[in-house]
Amino acid sequence: MWKTILRRILIMIPEIILLSILVFLLAKAMPGDPFTGSINPRSSATQIEHLKQLNGLYDPWYQQYWNWVVHLFHGDLGQSYQYHEPVTNLIGDRAINTLWLSAFTMILTYVIALPLGLYAGKHDGKLPDTVIRIYTYVTYCIPFFVILVIGLWIFGYVLNWFPTTGSVSPTATGMWMIGSRFLHVLLPGLLGALFGTVNVVQYMRSEVIDAKNSDYVRTARSKGVPQKAIYKHHIFRNSLLPIAAFGGYSITGLLNGSIFTETIFSYPGMGMLFIDSISYRDYTVITALVLLFGILNLLGTLLSDIILSVVDPRIRVN
Amino acid sequence: MEDGQELLELNDISTSFKIDGQYYDAISHINLTVKRDGILAIVGESGCGKSTLATTIMGLHDTDTTRISGQALFDGQDLLKLDDKSMNDIRGAKIGMIFQDPLSALNPLKRIADQISEGLDYHTTMTSDEKHARVMELLSQVGIVNPERTARQFPHELSGGMRQRVIIAIAIACKPDIIIADEPTTALDVTIQAQILDVLRGIQAENHAGIILITHDLGVVAETADEVAVMYAGEVVERGTTEQVFNNPQHPYTRSLLRSVPQGNQDVTHDDLYVIEGSVPSIERMPQTGDRFAPRIPWIPAEAHEENPSMHEVAPGHQVRCTCYQQFYFKSLEETNK
Amino acid sequence: MSLVEIKDLKVHYPIRSGFLNRVTDKVKAVDGINLNIEAGETYGLVGESGSGKSTTGKSVVGLEKITSGSIKYKGVDITNVSARRNVNYNQSVQMIFQDSLSSLNPRKRVLDIIAEPLRNFQHLSTEEEKIRVLQLLEIVGLSPESLYKYPHQFSGGQRQRIGIARAVATNPELIIADEPVSALDLSVQAQVLNFMKKIQREFGISYLFISHDLGVVRHMCQNIAIMNKGRLVEVGTREDIYDNPLHIYTKRLLAAIPEVDVSKRQERQQQRKQIEKMYNEQADQYYDEEGLAYPLVQVSPTHFVALPKEQIIDQLK
């Protein structure tokens, strides 16, 4: 198993290199350069030219790429034009905020979705199953941002139960700070989970139905295993397997979702930063974020593969 | 424990399935007995209801979409009247079942040892050491050479024959009185099939169980069974000892079936096999009255069939459905080619 | 000249393992097979699962990349694609599969399924194509209404006949039938086998009949080869194989077939035990150090067996 995992990690290295080259070339292709906007407008063309030369902007692309990578390893992702702050600092705080929100959304998603999926699968075709399926279809039909806007309006503005902007109350200190943080992720997390459950519920439901009708469950029944134990030892466990593997991939969904959620809730995370930097053409930030999102996605798939190789004996033994 | 003691008595069992809101009979009015130390073979082609009969006895049907009537008397109680909880005390403990497809019948995520001892968990008070010992004993009994190793493996690591042995070990874990084997060798190579049938016979000699052997393979029946019930379209059309049914077949279906077995003395380019005209009706189109086999022997006059076919005794213990057997003859070659 | 001459056919698959996934070993699925199929005959290739019989069949149709050896069709080596085109090979050689449900595209109508090879090889108008398909349906005994139905609407035997109709659409000279009746009930099996013989008589088709079922093979084939672990262990006429088997593997295979004769039950079981005992005790004498069969040796004009000379003399005694 360790061999498989190690091999899988090694395969990721060329993937990351390829990704970084792509991101770098894209960044190069964008209009402007690191000096646009930060240079004294009265500088002469020759002065600018000199600066560009000094900073290696006329080197061949692979050398520039190499320099960029070396800087990357030193934690230097360049300067933000808009904030005049190193990109690393800028992303650092927001990454933690996004992590908070995403982890909370993910936990909530599975806590809600697994029992619902199991219940629907167990009683497929009956009333509760129909209700759960209608819920998933309806939710699936509404665009995510509409859910967010409506949720924000009802629970944030009309009912005033939750804060509507930010990641923490500016006046909060000490223990209350954690409480305040939690309060701020509660509504976006809940709404995100509401949307995220749709896939997981459907997936879990069909896995349970498959397992329920499988030959090995029939074998278990013929051994005289009570229904409850069959659900616990055979159906639930076997249905969870693809779901667990799916977990890694769902990171991608969470990151994509964070762009909407954070923008609508003015929640200072990576998603909002991304949208902001796009509207301000803050290229260094965009590049860094694209690279980061890309790597996180790769890690997600890696995680899925590892989970699968750990839980499924058929893969474990090659 | 006397030899030939009646273990299970099936009286007038019918099972129907709900298809598009309507119930259709998969098996109708089955009467059979399973004796201790005996092998009762139920033979028939796909769709004849032989597997439905097995799952009916085991109570493995979804009660929402299945209707069952009749009696299955075992140990003084009617299995068909028991609730799921009481049935769980019988399944695996008193009646064990062997399934056809050994790969899908095993849970892919559980080790062999756990799958065998699962039955012991619910039917015995063994300690885990005792269970382990029993698993080893069972694996040796079904002819697995290295039980310690096999016990730790997962289903996909075993060959088809090994998996089938494991399936048998699961079925006999609690020394059941009755073993129902549903096509236990269909998925296997002939040499493995011979070994598995030997294992089954060996187990019977040791445990003195009664075996219901469900198969479509007439050869397997001829070489293994003591008694045979031939099923067609959900009904038993002929039953008797293996000698009676194979040496002196009476029902047109039994006779036709035996005649379509390739014999090997025919010419490879010119001699054809006997073909039964028409095809088995689907469950929704099964005729509910008259002789269900009549449409497939249209040259036999309608008067030869009974209106409500019943079983007729042609020799002690040898019964045939409908009276048409008395007038049945095979069409001559000229007639067939017309 | 035989219709098909297979010479020293080998199909080896690499086994990759270790950290770098290097080729560390190979599976010898087919390891040096020689056989000839005559025009108009049904040649039986018998073996258990994993014996390499299906791989051999697929190699003949060109579905398998062969490692070495040659397959000659009417004297032309068809192991490379351009040679195959020159002799219209892909049109003259067709295949029937065991699992008719999975080998027929579930989303296509019978018309399209049967017409597919026609569309590949012959350029017919829609009308001509339909007429040809209707002809084919009639040959296999299916009603014209079948034209617009889908595979799942048919029974197993009917589906197998659709597969045969597709195979005979291009008037092939050779059909590779890989376990064509294994999934069928006895009465349906009889229908399909009769039908295969009928079109053979009418169109002079040759079959390579691949099966594990010795009973069916005896009914269909005059010449038979027994395959075991990628090699042939015994080749001969029907009488050679069934009346005078020499290799322990053939004997064991024959002994294992259950017979529909109740009176022989005890006798058969005794015989089986005896052969099984012999097999367990002397298996190494029948196979080389690698556990594979020896090269074939001729023991009569038609009969070949894979045994060392001394062994054969012993056997014949």
Side-chain angles (χ1 to χ4, degrees):
Chain A
M1 178 174 71
W2 291 113
K3 262 195 210 161
T4 324
I5 293 176
L6 200 63
R7 189 186 301 145
R8 187 61 191 73
I9 292 173
L10 285 181
I11 290 171
M12 233 180 87
I13 293 173
E15 287 176 352
I16 290 183
I17 293 176
L18 201 70
L19 175 76
S20 67
I21 292 178
L22 265 175
V23 169
F24 174 78
L25 290 179
L26 275 177
K28 282 274 117 185
M30 285 193 268
D33 55 53
F35 306 111
T36 316
S38 67
I39 293 172
N40 186 341
R42 272 166 297 179
S43 312
S44 71
T46 38
Q47 272 176 313
I48 295 174
E49 208 52 24
H50 180 68
L51 262 175
K52 278 185 175 177
Q53 222 139 37
L54 209 66
N55 282 284
L57 282 180
Y58 291 109
D59 290 347
W61 73 269
Y62 47 87
Q63 196 160 354
Q64 290 190 40
Y65 169 71
W66 180 247
N67 287 336
W68 182 66
V69 170
V70 170
H71 282 288
L72 218 63
F73 273 98
H74 287 104
D76 178 8
L77 291 161
Q79 282 272 338
S80 157
Y81 314 142
Q82 188 202 348
Y83 298 95
H84 300 286
E85 212 185 316
V87 175
T88 335
N89 295 354
L90 206 58
I91 291 179
D93 297 345
R94 288 153 205 261
I96 291 171
N97 280 342
T98 300
L99 189 75
W100 256 92
L101 180 59
S102 302
F104 181 69
T105 311
M106 192 154 161
I107 293 168
L108 215 56
T109 305
Y110 284 95
V111 166
I112 298 171
L114 292 183
L116 276 186
L118 182 65
Y119 195 79
K122 190 172 177 178
H123 303 282
D124 73 300
K126 308 249 170 64
L127 187 68
D129 174 42
T130 315
V131 172
I132 291 171
R133 278 168 71 199
I134 289 174
Y135 149 72
T136 59
Y137 288 140
V138 169
T139 317
Y140 193 71
C141 290
I142 309 172
F144 185 37
F145 67 90
V146 174
I147 295 182
L148 290 174
V149 172
I150 293 175
L152 180 67
W153 180 64
I154 295 176
F155 299 104
Y157 290 102
V158 178
L159 296 172
N160 211 3
W161 288 353
F162 300 98
T164 54
T165 55
S167 64
V168 63
S169 161
T171 54
T173 47
M175 274 307 282
W176 173 231
M177 191 134 118
I178 298 174
S180 166
R181 272 186 182 280
F182 182 69
L183 199 64
H184 278 81
V185 294
L186 199 55
L187 183 57
L190 267 170
L191 294 172
L194 182 75
F195 192 71
T197 48
V198 171
N199 282 322
V200 184
V201 167
Q202 287 284 4
Y203 205 173
M204 184 71 184
R205 174 180 178 273
S206 67
E207 284 298 326
V208 168
I209 293 173
D210 276 358
K212 195 169 80 169
N213 296 320
S214 71
D215 285 358
Y216 61 81
V217 161
R218 192 186 55 182
T219 308
R221 289 189 66 197
S222 79
K223 291 181 212 172
V225 182
Q227 199 71 353
K228 245 191 192 157
I230 286 181
Y231 270 93
K232 192 171 152 205
H233 298 304
H234 293 277
I235 297 177
F236 189 62
R237 219 187 128 203
N238 289 39
S239 307
L240 222 47
L241 180 100
I243 306 278
F246 186 67
Y249 296 110
S250 68
I251 289 176
T252 314
L254 280 175
L255 288 175
N256 294 339
S258 72
I259 294 175
F260 290 107
T261 322
E262 292 174 3
T263 312
I264 288 168
F265 279 83
S266 314
Y267 182 86
M270 291 199 294
M272 195 167 103
L273 181 65
F274 190 60
I275 294 291
D276 274 356
S277 49
I278 286 176
S279 38
Y280 290 107
R281 320 243 154 144
D282 200 345
Y283 296 130
T284 40
V285 180
I286 297 175
T287 319
L289 282 175
V290 169
L291 185 66
L292 196 63
F293 277 134
I295 291 175
L296 285 175
N297 276 338
L298 286 177
L299 283 176
T301 28
L302 173 72
L303 191 67
S304 282
D305 286 359
I306 291 177
I307 293 174
L308 207 57
S309 71
V310 170
V311 289
D312 193 336
R314 284 165 294 186
I315 293 172
R316 212 185 294 165
V317 200
N318 286 325
Chain B
M1 233 192 271
E2 61 180 297
D3 192 60
Q5 162 207 356
E6 286 184 7
L7 285 173
L8 175 68
E9 200 184 312
L10 308 179
N11 290 330
D12 203 33
I13 292 187
S14 301
T15 302
S16 39
F17 295 128
K18 196 174 176 180
I19 300 168
D20 293 331
Q22 216 181 327
Y23 281 96
Y24 296 96
D25 272 3
I27 51 173
S28 322
H29 312 291
I30 305 287
N31 292 290
L32 290 170
T33 26
V34 182
K35 295 182 190 130
R36 190 174 287 287
D37 274 321
I39 299 184
L40 167 69
I42 298 175
V43 65
E45 298 183 285
S46 38
C48 74
K50 53 191 194 299
S51 291
T52 305
L53 179 60
T55 36
T56 301
I57 298 169
M58 289 296 277
L60 293 179
H61 287 297
D62 184 352
T63 44
D64 293 342
T65 53
T66 321
R67 220 157 49 189
I68 295 171
S69 64
Q71 276 184 317
L73 296 176
F74 173 77
D75 214 4
Q77 48 191 344
D78 182 0
L79 297 182
L80 305 183
K81 300 274 179 305
L82 294 179
D83 58 13
D84 207 47
K85 202 174 159 296
S86 330
M87 201 55 205
N88 275 336
D89 296 334
I90 290 179
R91 281 194 284 250
K94 303 280 179 57
I95 307 179
M97 183 146 178
I98 299 167
F99 293 98
Q100 175 176 3
D101 185 349
L103 182 57
S104 66
L106 292 169
N107 187 331
L109 305 187
K110 282 184 181 292
R111 288 178 200 281
I112 299 301
D114 298 335
Q115 306 205 35
I116 298 176
S117 62
E118 193 176 18
L120 302 173
D121 295 344
Y122 296 97
H123 301 301
T124 66
T125 50
M126 288 184 187
T127 64
S128 58
D129 282 346
E130 285 167 343
K131 276 185 221 161
H132 178 79
R134 176 72 181 139
V135 169
M136 293 303 123
E137 184 189 2
L138 283 163
L139 286 172
S140 318
Q141 199 184 350
V142 295
I144 283 175
V145 191
N146 191 343
E148 283 284 353
R149 184 184 135 93
T150 306
R152 280 192 305 270
Q153 286 179 307
F154 288 97
H156 70 276
E157 298 175 82
L158 306 180
S159 68
M162 293 267 271
R163 282 185 210 125
Q164 194 60 55
R165 287 167 202 263
V166 170
I167 296 276
I168 295 177
I170 289 175
I172 61 168
C174 304
K175 296 194 176 157
D177 293 321
I178 294 174
I179 300 168
I180 303 177
D182 187 3
E183 301 271 10
T185 58
T186 306
L188 306 173
D189 278 326
V190 273
T191 49
I192 311 288
Q193 164 170 294
Q195 290 166 7
I196 296 291
L197 292 176
D198 277 343
V199 168
L200 269 180
R201 277 188 285 256
I203 285 161
Q204 191 179 34
E206 254 177 80
N207 296 10
H208 300 285
I211 295 183
I212 302 178
L213 177 68
I214 294 166
T215 180
H216 69 281
D217 189 328
L218 294 172
V220 168
V221 177
E223 291 206 8
T224 354
D226 301 309
E227 288 180 286
V228 186
V230 181
M231 283 185 73
Y232 177 79
E235 292 178 324
V236 172
V237 294
E238 183 159 3
R239 59 183 280 214
T241 64
T242 312
E243 285 79 12
Q244 284 170 335
V245 173
F246 278 77
N247 294 342
N248 190 20
Q250 293 297 318
H251 195 274
Y253 179 62
T254 319
R255 290 175 64 186
S256 309
L257 212 53
L258 283 166
R259 208 173 188 211
S260 55
V261 177
Q263 289 302 327
N265 45 14
Q266 295 121 318
D267 181 90
V268 287
T269 41
H270 294 98
D271 283 352
D272 281 344
L273 291 167
Y274 179 74
V275 170
I276 305 173
E277 277 182 32
S279 55
V280 184
S282 66
I283 175 170
E284 295 102 318
R285 296 205 189 138
M286 202 88 81
Q288 294 303 314
T289 53
D291 185 352
R292 296 182 184 182
F293 193 62
R296 305 195 65 183
I297 42 170
W299 64 92
I300 302 298
E303 311 86 73
H305 300 284
E306 272 178 290
E307 208 168 303
N308 289 305
S310 55
M311 294 298 268
H312 302 272
E313 188 139 293
V314 290
H318 189 184
Q319 298 175 331
V320 186
R321 182 172 295 276
C322 192
T323 45
C324 63
Y325 74 95
Q326 293 161 344
Q327 295 182 41
F328 179 73
Y329 63 95
F330 286 112
K331 262 202 284 190
S332 66
L333 209 61
E334 296 80 64
E335 267 180 292
T336 318
N337 289 339
K338 249 190 295 189
Chain C
M1 188 176 62
S2 306
L3 182 68
V4 177
E5 288 170 44
I6 300 175
K7 270 229 155 55
D8 205 27
L9 176 71
K10 288 186 183 170
V11 182
H12 293 181
Y13 302 118
I15 301 177
R16 290 169 190 280
S17 64
F19 185 66
L20 293 170
N21 242 357
R22 268 181 311 207
V23 178
T24 48
D25 204 350
K26 53 195 173 192
V27 179
K28 297 175 176 175
V30 179
D31 193 37
I33 295 272
N34 294 289
L35 54 90
N36 294 342
I37 305 169
E38 303 299 329
E41 81 161 333
T42 304
Y43 194 97
L45 184 59
V46 178
E48 294 187 288
S49 47
S51 62
K53 58 184 193 305
S54 290
T55 311
T56 308
K58 283 191 212 150
S59 311
V60 177
V61 214
L63 290 175
E64 199 76 52
K65 193 180 174 303
I66 71 171
T67 312
S68 69
S70 74
I71 301 170
K72 281 187 181 157
Y73 176 74
K74 293 183 174 171
V76 181
D77 191 338
I78 47 81
T79 36
N80 73 64
V81 180
S82 61
R84 242 178 271 164
R85 207 169 296 138
N86 290 338
V87 287
N88 268 339
Y89 189 71
N90 296 341
Q91 188 173 343
S92 327
V93 178
Q94 294 288 328
M95 189 150 185
I96 309 173
F97 298 91
Q98 168 179 4
D99 188 348
S100 53
L101 189 54
S102 65
S103 65
L104 302 178
N105 187 337
R107 282 187 246 307
K108 281 192 173 171
R109 299 168 304 175
V110 168
L111 171 66
D112 300 311
I113 290 170
I114 299 179
E116 197 192 338
L118 293 173
R119 288 171 192 165
N120 289 340
F121 298 112
Q122 294 167 10
H123 302 284
L124 304 175
S125 69
T126 321
E127 203 45 41
E128 285 170 333
E129 183 185 282
K130 198 174 154 190
I131 292 169
R132 176 76 181 128
V133 173
L134 281 171
Q135 258 176 358
L136 289 162
L137 283 177
E138 201 191 320
I139 295 174
V140 297
L142 290 173
S143 65
E145 299 94 73
S146 313
L147 218 48
Y148 300 108
K149 286 188 183 168
Y150 292 87
H152 69 268
Q153 295 172 285
F154 295 89
S155 69
Q158 288 172 325
R159 276 199 296 266
Q160 200 57 294
R161 281 187 275 168
I162 295 171
I164 295 177
R166 175 174 63 178
V168 297
T170 55
N171 296 320
E173 295 183 53
L174 173 68
I175 291 179
I176 313 296
D178 190 358
E179 301 271 12
V181 292
S182 313
L184 305 177
D185 275 320
L186 197 55
S187 61
V188 185
Q189 162 180 304
Q191 279 175 21
V192 172
L193 292 180
N194 286 355
F195 173 70
M196 285 180 71
K197 279 190 181 185
K198 181 175 156 237
I199 56 171
Q200 178 168 54
R201 286 193 298 267
E202 282 172 25
F203 306 108
I205 295 173
S206 314
Y207 293 110
L208 176 61
F209 194 95
I210 301 170
S211 178
H212 72 282
D213 188 331
L214 281 159
V216 170
V217 168
R218 182 164 52 176
H219 175 74
M220 295 294 288
C221 312
Q222 185 53 41
N223 292 302
I224 295 160
I226 311 280
M227 201 166 173
N228 179 210
K229 295 184 214 161
R231 294 192 182 170
L232 297 183
V233 294
E234 197 155 352
V235 174
T237 62
R238 181 161 77 152
E239 293 71 27
D240 291 333
I241 300 288
Y242 289 89
D243 302 339
N244 186 24
L246 293 177
H247 200 279
I248 185 73
Y249 183 75
T250 317
K251 288 183 185 174
R252 194 164 167 248
L253 219 49
L254 285 169
I257 318 172
E259 261 186 60
V260 194
D261 190 342
V262 191
S263 53
K264 285 194 194 153
R265 184 193 279 199
Q266 294 300 327
E267 189 190 323
R268 296 274 303 158
Q269 275 175 21
Q270 283 305 319
Q271 197 188 356
R272 192 171 299 147
K273 271 200 192 104
Q274 215 178 345
I275 285 173
E276 204 60 18
K277 200 173 147 220
M278 204 157 87
Y279 176 79
N280 290 332
E281 284 169 2
Q282 335 169 339
D284 51 326
Q285 298 174 25
Y286 291 89
Y287 297 97
D288 64 13
E289 315 81 64
E290 274 185 88
L292 299 175
Y294 289 106
L296 288 172
V297 174
Q298 187 160 21
V299 289
S300 86
T302 53
H303 197 171
F304 299 80
V305 65
L307 287 176
K309 282 251 158 48
E310 323 79 73
Q311 267 281 342
I312 297 173
I313 298 161
D314 259 18
Q315 286 291 315
L316 287 172
K317 260 189 269 178

